[in-house]
Amino acid sequence: MIGHHSYDNIAENIDKVLNEFNIQNKTTLVVTDNASNFVKAFRVFSIENETEADHTIEVSDDMDTVESDIDPTNIEIIELTNVLESPSLEKSLDFSLPPHQRCVAHTLNLIAVNDIREAEKDVTYRLMSKRVFGKCQKLFNKQNHQSTLCADQIKKYLGRYLITPNATRWNSFYDAIKCVVNHIEKIEIICIELQLPIISKPREVTFLTEYCKVMKPIAQALDILQGDKHVSLGFLLPTISIINKSLNEMKDLSYCRPLVNALKKGTNKR
């Protein structure tokens, strides 16, 4: 794609592709990630949104009813002069995009990365998570960035290298923490050997164990919905239902109850 990845350029390019392959009238849905430029492109140019807007106006003349459909956290204020001068107003007359669906895997990633920050409003959880994850990160850094000798020491004790987080995929953070928990006895020896802070028992180890227990349904759901084979839209609702059921059944948590509440709130919101 040449030029700025602005919402109107994105919309125009999608329309060109649909027309080039003569599938404009055959396409029932377009799936993208949650990036704001994609979302706005379909909000402005989608046929579905135009229809929904018309329907909302026709349903009732009562302003309270109409406003109840508006998400107050997602209102965009635009200068009137900018609207009048915007070239996209002319483009909106030239074409319309098919209905839009946000990628569920990306949405689950956002819940796992962004929405769980709600849990940090609980002081106990925030202090514990920062301390324990900080210790884990120092261990990951030792293996990946600081010394090949350190990496060799880790492999010597574990028989393998640690899984370390990848910034683009949240699953990797869960997998990394799970790897630490699965080898916690040897991790203590490695920390002593590498002169790193020890993940102390029982509190910090309990916290990591609970974190893996709480985040496991999200990780499993992502593995299913990101699959290349045997995946269809029919997988979506059962998978989301299982996430909700698993979170509702979480009991006997000493440290990660705020994390459960944050995940439930994020899932309901999105």
Side-chain angles (χ1 to χ4, degrees):
M1 179 175 170
I2 299 171
H4 293 294
H5 291 191
S6 59
Y7 76 96
D8 48 346
N9 284 339
I10 286 174
E12 189 171 13
N13 274 273
I14 292 174
D15 182 70
K16 284 179 180 177
V17 171
L18 296 176
N19 282 316
E20 179 183 347
F21 290 92
N22 197 27
I23 56 173
Q24 181 67 267
N25 297 322
K26 301 176 184 177
T27 305
T28 57
L29 196 69
V30 177
V31 182
T32 75
D33 64 27
N34 289 260
S36 59
N37 50 358
F38 276 121
V39 174
K40 186 172 182 180
F42 286 90
R43 189 172 74 239
V44 173
F45 294 103
S46 175
I47 303 170
E48 183 183 53
N49 289 345
E50 290 171 5
T51 306
E52 285 179 357
D54 293 341
H55 178 68
T56 305
I57 292 168
E58 290 171 5
V59 165
S60 171
D61 293 326
D62 183 354
M63 284 304 293
D64 291 337
T65 306
V66 175
E67 288 181 359
S68 68
D69 292 333
I70 299 173
D71 178 1
T73 64
N74 195 31
I75 295 173
E76 185 174 8
I77 299 171
I78 305 171
E79 292 289 343
L80 182 59
T81 52
N82 291 342
V83 173
L84 294 175
E85 294 170 1
S86 174
S88 65
L89 288 178
E90 293 181 10
K91 288 182 182 180
S92 65
L93 301 175
D94 296 335
F95 61 83
S96 293
L97 297 181
H100 181 224
Q101 175 69 49
R102 301 188 192 198
C103 170
V104 68
H106 187 242
T107 301
L108 284 174
N109 268 285
L110 292 178
I111 293 171
V113 174
N114 295 342
D115 295 353
I116 63 168
R117 292 173 187 157
E118 178 80 13
E120 295 181 3
K121 291 181 179 178
D122 183 276
V123 177
T124 303
Y125 176 86
R126 182 174 71 247
L127 294 175
M128 179 66 80
S129 63
K130 287 186 181 298
R131 183 167 69 245
V132 180
F133 291 146
K135 290 180 179 181
C136 292
Q137 190 59 53
K138 288 179 181 178
L139 186 59
F140 301 147
N141 290 343
K142 275 284 186 184
Q143 175 178 293
N144 286 353
H145 307 301
Q146 296 179 5
S147 169
T148 55
L149 294 176
C150 293
D152 292 340
Q153 285 289 87
I154 291 170
K155 188 174 183 181
K156 170 187 166 185
Y157 284 104
L158 299 185
R160 53 165 297 168
Y161 294 113
L162 287 167
I163 298 172
T164 55
N166 178 326
T168 59
R169 296 182 78 84
W170 170 79
N171 288 51
S172 64
F173 183 78
Y174 168 81
D175 292 338
I177 298 301
K178 185 180 177 184
C179 184
V180 169
V181 170
N182 289 344
H183 298 90
I184 196 66
E185 299 298 333
K186 293 178 181 177
I187 292 295
E188 183 175 351
I189 299 171
I190 291 169
C191 288
I192 294 171
E193 189 80 19
L194 302 180
Q195 299 181 334
L196 292 171
I198 297 171
I199 299 172
S200 61
K201 299 176 182 177
R203 298 178 72 220
E204 294 182 349
V205 173
T206 300
F207 173 83
L208 287 179
T209 304
E210 287 187 2
Y211 174 85
C212 290
K213 177 183 176 182
V214 170
M215 300 306 292
K216 183 178 179 180
I218 304 290
Q220 290 180 327
L222 277 165
D223 287 339
I224 292 169
L225 297 172
Q226 289 175 163
D228 292 332
K229 300 178 180 178
H230 315 302
V231 177
S232 69
L233 194 58
F235 279 70
L236 177 54
L237 286 179
T239 303
I240 299 299
S241 296
I242 290 170
I243 290 175
N244 287 330
K245 183 174 184 290
S246 300
L247 292 174
N248 288 329
E249 291 175 350
M250 295 284 176
K251 302 188 186 304
D252 302 323
L253 298 173
S254 301
Y255 301 105
C256 288
R257 175 56 54 188
L259 182 61
V260 173
N261 295 336
L263 286 171
K264 289 167 72 173
K265 185 176 179 180
T267 305
N268 289 335
K269 180 181 76 174
R270 295 185 186 275

